[in-house]
Amino acid sequence: MSSLANPVNWVLAAVLGYITYNYFSASPPPPPPTPRPKFPTLVFKEYTPKELTEFDGRTSETRILIAINTKVFDVTRGRNFYGPDGPYGNFAGRDASRGLAKNSFDKSVLVAVDGPIDKLEDLTDEEKESLSDWAMHFEGKYQLVGKLIENKD
Ligand code: HEM
Protein backbone atom coordinates (compact mmCIF):
# COMPACT_ATOMS: atom_id res chain seq x y z
CA MET A 1 0.00 0.00 0.00
CA SER A 2 1.41 3.41 -0.94
CA SER A 3 1.91 5.92 1.86
CA LEU A 4 -0.79 8.14 0.34
CA ALA A 5 -3.34 5.40 0.61
CA ASN A 6 -2.65 4.79 4.29
CA PRO A 7 -5.34 6.68 6.35
CA VAL A 8 -3.01 6.91 9.33
CA ASN A 9 -0.71 9.12 7.27
CA TRP A 10 -3.67 11.35 6.35
CA VAL A 11 -4.49 11.82 10.00
CA LEU A 12 -0.85 12.53 10.87
CA ALA A 13 -0.60 15.01 7.99
CA ALA A 14 -3.78 16.78 9.17
CA VAL A 15 -2.48 17.03 12.75
CA LEU A 16 0.91 18.32 11.56
CA GLY A 17 -0.80 20.85 9.29
CA TYR A 18 -3.01 22.04 12.12
CA ILE A 19 -0.05 22.49 14.49
CA THR A 20 2.02 24.27 11.83
CA TYR A 21 -0.87 26.58 10.96
CA ASN A 22 -1.43 27.50 14.59
CA TYR A 23 2.27 28.02 15.22
CA PHE A 24 2.70 30.50 12.39
CA SER A 25 -0.71 32.18 12.37
CA ALA A 26 -1.20 32.80 16.10
CA SER A 27 0.10 36.29 16.79
CA PRO A 28 1.82 36.62 20.15
CA PRO A 29 -0.27 38.36 22.78
CA PRO A 30 0.56 42.04 23.17
CA PRO A 31 2.87 42.75 26.11
CA PRO A 32 0.96 43.96 29.16
CA PRO A 33 1.25 47.70 29.72
CA THR A 34 3.95 48.52 32.26
CA PRO A 35 1.99 49.53 35.36
CA ARG A 36 3.03 52.80 36.90
CA PRO A 37 4.25 52.03 40.42
CA LYS A 38 1.58 53.14 42.86
CA PHE A 39 4.16 54.29 45.34
CA PRO A 40 7.34 55.49 43.61
CA THR A 41 10.56 55.38 45.63
CA LEU A 42 10.71 58.15 48.22
CA VAL A 43 13.60 60.57 48.36
CA PHE A 44 15.24 60.55 51.80
CA LYS A 45 14.00 63.52 53.84
CA GLU A 46 13.29 64.76 57.31
CA TYR A 47 9.86 64.34 58.93
CA THR A 48 8.55 65.89 62.10
CA PRO A 49 6.24 63.70 64.22
CA LYS A 50 3.32 65.84 63.01
CA GLU A 51 4.29 65.44 59.34
CA LEU A 52 4.68 61.70 59.80
CA THR A 53 1.00 61.35 60.75
CA GLU A 54 0.11 62.09 57.11
CA PHE A 55 1.55 58.70 56.24
CA ASP A 56 -0.75 56.46 58.23
CA GLY A 57 -2.17 54.34 55.40
CA ARG A 58 -5.70 55.52 56.13
CA THR A 59 -6.67 54.73 52.53
CA SER A 60 -5.15 52.31 50.05
CA GLU A 61 -3.68 55.38 48.33
CA THR A 62 -1.82 56.50 51.44
CA ARG A 63 1.73 55.42 52.05
CA ILE A 64 2.67 54.09 55.49
CA LEU A 65 5.75 55.35 57.29
CA ILE A 66 6.98 54.38 60.74
CA ALA A 67 9.77 55.87 62.84
CA ILE A 68 12.06 53.72 64.97
CA ASN A 69 14.95 55.32 66.85
CA THR A 70 14.46 58.43 64.65
CA LYS A 71 14.87 56.37 61.47
CA VAL A 72 11.84 56.59 59.20
CA PHE A 73 10.93 53.43 57.27
CA ASP A 74 8.51 52.99 54.39
CA VAL A 75 6.41 50.03 55.52
CA THR A 76 3.71 50.47 52.87
CA ARG A 77 4.23 46.94 51.61
CA GLY A 78 3.46 45.69 55.12
CA ARG A 79 -0.05 47.15 54.85
CA ASN A 80 -1.49 43.92 56.29
CA PHE A 81 0.35 44.70 59.50
CA TYR A 82 0.07 48.49 59.61
CA GLY A 83 -3.05 49.35 57.63
CA PRO A 84 -6.17 50.57 59.47
CA ASP A 85 -7.37 46.99 59.98
CA GLY A 86 -3.92 45.54 60.70
CA PRO A 87 -2.83 44.41 64.17
CA TYR A 88 -0.15 47.11 64.34
CA GLY A 89 -2.10 49.91 62.68
CA ASN A 90 -1.48 52.09 65.75
CA PHE A 91 2.17 52.44 64.66
CA ALA A 92 1.30 53.78 61.20
CA GLY A 93 2.53 57.35 60.78
CA ARG A 94 3.97 57.35 64.28
CA ASP A 95 7.17 56.92 66.25
CA ALA A 96 6.85 53.23 67.14
CA SER A 97 10.03 53.06 69.26
CA ARG A 98 8.47 52.87 72.70
CA GLY A 99 5.80 50.37 71.63
CA LEU A 100 8.39 48.11 70.05
CA ALA A 101 10.71 48.42 73.04
CA LYS A 102 7.91 47.41 75.39
CA ASN A 103 6.35 44.92 72.97
CA SER A 104 3.06 46.69 73.30
CA PHE A 105 0.73 48.01 70.67
CA ASP A 106 -1.36 49.68 73.32
CA LYS A 107 -2.22 53.22 72.24
CA SER A 108 -1.18 54.55 75.65
CA VAL A 109 2.44 53.70 74.82
CA LEU A 110 2.51 56.07 71.85
CA VAL A 111 3.96 59.52 72.49
CA ALA A 112 2.01 62.67 71.58
CA VAL A 113 2.63 63.80 68.00
CA ASP A 114 2.77 67.47 69.00
CA GLY A 115 5.35 66.94 71.74
CA PRO A 116 9.12 66.42 71.70
CA ILE A 117 10.66 63.25 70.27
CA ASP A 118 10.71 60.45 72.83
CA LYS A 119 14.29 60.22 74.20
CA LEU A 120 13.59 56.68 75.48
CA GLU A 121 15.99 57.29 78.36
CA ASP A 122 13.87 55.43 80.89
CA LEU A 123 13.89 52.11 79.00
CA THR A 124 15.28 49.06 80.78
CA ASP A 125 18.20 47.18 79.21
CA GLU A 126 15.79 44.47 78.12
CA GLU A 127 13.52 47.04 76.44
CA LYS A 128 16.50 48.69 74.75
CA GLU A 129 17.54 45.29 73.41
CA SER A 130 14.02 44.57 72.16
CA LEU A 131 13.99 47.94 70.39
CA SER A 132 17.35 47.32 68.79
CA ASP A 133 16.21 43.85 67.60
CA TRP A 134 13.12 45.43 66.02
CA ALA A 135 15.25 48.16 64.44
CA MET A 136 17.39 45.45 62.82
CA HIS A 137 14.25 43.69 61.58
CA PHE A 138 13.00 46.87 59.92
CA GLU A 139 16.40 47.74 58.47
CA GLY A 140 16.55 44.32 56.86
CA LYS A 141 13.03 44.42 55.49
CA TYR A 142 12.01 48.00 54.70
CA GLN A 143 13.48 50.99 52.96
CA LEU A 144 14.94 53.75 55.10
CA VAL A 145 13.32 56.91 53.74
CA GLY A 146 13.98 59.59 56.29
CA LYS A 147 14.90 60.91 59.69
CA LEU A 148 12.56 62.02 62.46
CA ILE A 149 13.25 65.58 63.59
CA GLU A 150 11.62 67.75 66.24
CA ASN A 151 8.35 69.55 65.46
CA LYS A 152 8.93 73.07 64.22
CA ASP A 153 6.37 74.90 66.37
C1 HEM B 1 -0.48 38.31 70.67
C2 HEM B 1 0.71 37.90 70.35
C3 HEM B 1 1.27 38.13 68.99
C4 HEM B 1 1.17 37.34 67.92
C5 HEM B 1 0.43 36.02 67.81
C6 HEM B 1 1.91 37.97 66.84
C7 HEM B 1 2.06 37.45 65.58
C8 HEM B 1 2.86 37.98 64.61
C9 HEM B 1 3.13 37.37 63.32
C10 HEM B 1 2.56 36.03 62.85
C11 HEM B 1 3.95 38.19 62.65
C12 HEM B 1 4.47 37.98 61.23
C13 HEM B 1 5.87 37.49 61.28
C14 HEM B 1 6.45 37.49 59.88
O1 HEM B 1 5.84 36.90 58.99
O2 HEM B 1 7.52 38.07 59.69
C15 HEM B 1 4.20 39.33 63.49
C16 HEM B 1 4.99 40.38 63.15
C17 HEM B 1 5.14 41.50 63.90
N1 HEM B 1 4.67 41.71 65.16
FE1 HEM B 1 3.54 40.45 66.20
N2 HEM B 1 2.44 39.14 67.30
C18 HEM B 1 2.07 39.28 68.60
C19 HEM B 1 2.40 40.30 69.43
C20 HEM B 1 3.04 41.44 69.04
C21 HEM B 1 3.24 42.60 69.89
C22 HEM B 1 2.82 42.71 71.36
C23 HEM B 1 3.85 43.53 69.14
C24 HEM B 1 4.16 44.88 69.66
C25 HEM B 1 5.06 45.63 69.34
C26 HEM B 1 4.07 42.95 67.82
C27 HEM B 1 4.69 43.56 66.75
C28 HEM B 1 4.98 42.98 65.56
C29 HEM B 1 5.69 43.62 64.49
C30 HEM B 1 6.21 45.04 64.48
C31 HEM B 1 5.81 42.70 63.45
C32 HEM B 1 6.60 42.87 62.17
C33 HEM B 1 5.79 43.24 61.03
C34 HEM B 1 6.69 43.50 59.84
O3 HEM B 1 7.56 42.70 59.52
O4 HEM B 1 6.50 44.57 59.24
N3 HEM B 1 3.57 41.69 67.80
N4 HEM B 1 3.52 39.18 64.67
Side-chain angles (χ1 to χ4, degrees):
M1 181 159 68
S2 93
S3 61
L4 272 179
N6 186 338
V8 174
N9 283 344
W10 280 102
V11 172
L12 286 177
V15 170
L16 190 65
Y18 178 75
I19 292 170
T20 313
Y21 174 79
N22 271 341
Y23 181 80
F24 286 109
S25 64
S27 53
T34 315
R36 246 185 345 132
K38 195 168 173 188
F39 296 106
T41 308
L42 279 183
V43 175
F44 189 94
K45 60 168 273 200
E46 294 178 333
Y47 296 86
T48 66
K50 278 190 201 169
E51 288 165 350
L52 203 63
T53 59
E54 288 299 309
F55 303 91
D56 63 356
R58 67 192 82 134
T59 74
S60 62
E61 304 301 312
T62 320
R63 205 185 279 265
I64 309 177
L65 302 185
I66 279 180
I68 300 162
N69 272 343
T70 73
K71 291 177 176 176
V72 176
F73 295 95
D74 182 352
V75 298
T76 308
R77 70 188 181 86
R79 190 174 289 280
N80 286 348
F81 291 124
Y82 309 105
D85 301 323
Y88 316 125
N90 58 315
F91 292 144
R94 302 295 293 266
D95 179 1
S97 308
R98 183 165 289 270
L100 292 174
K102 291 184 175 286
N103 272 319
S104 165
F105 36 69
D106 200 294
K107 281 203 160 60
S108 65
V109 178
L110 291 171
V111 287
V113 292
D114 53 359
I117 295 177
D118 192 349
K119 301 286 179 298
L120 304 164
E121 284 160 345
D122 59 321
L123 295 183
T124 64
D125 286 349
E126 203 182 324
E127 288 166 348
K128 282 179 187 158
E129 201 182 320
S130 160
L131 177 56
S132 125
D133 287 350
W134 277 118
M136 266 172 28
H137 172 83
F138 279 79
E139 274 161 28
K141 184 167 179 184
Y142 298 108
Q143 202 194 345
L144 178 68
V145 295
K147 182 174 163 40
L148 193 67
I149 56 161
E150 295 291 355
N151 284 313
K152 286 164 184 154
D153 43 90

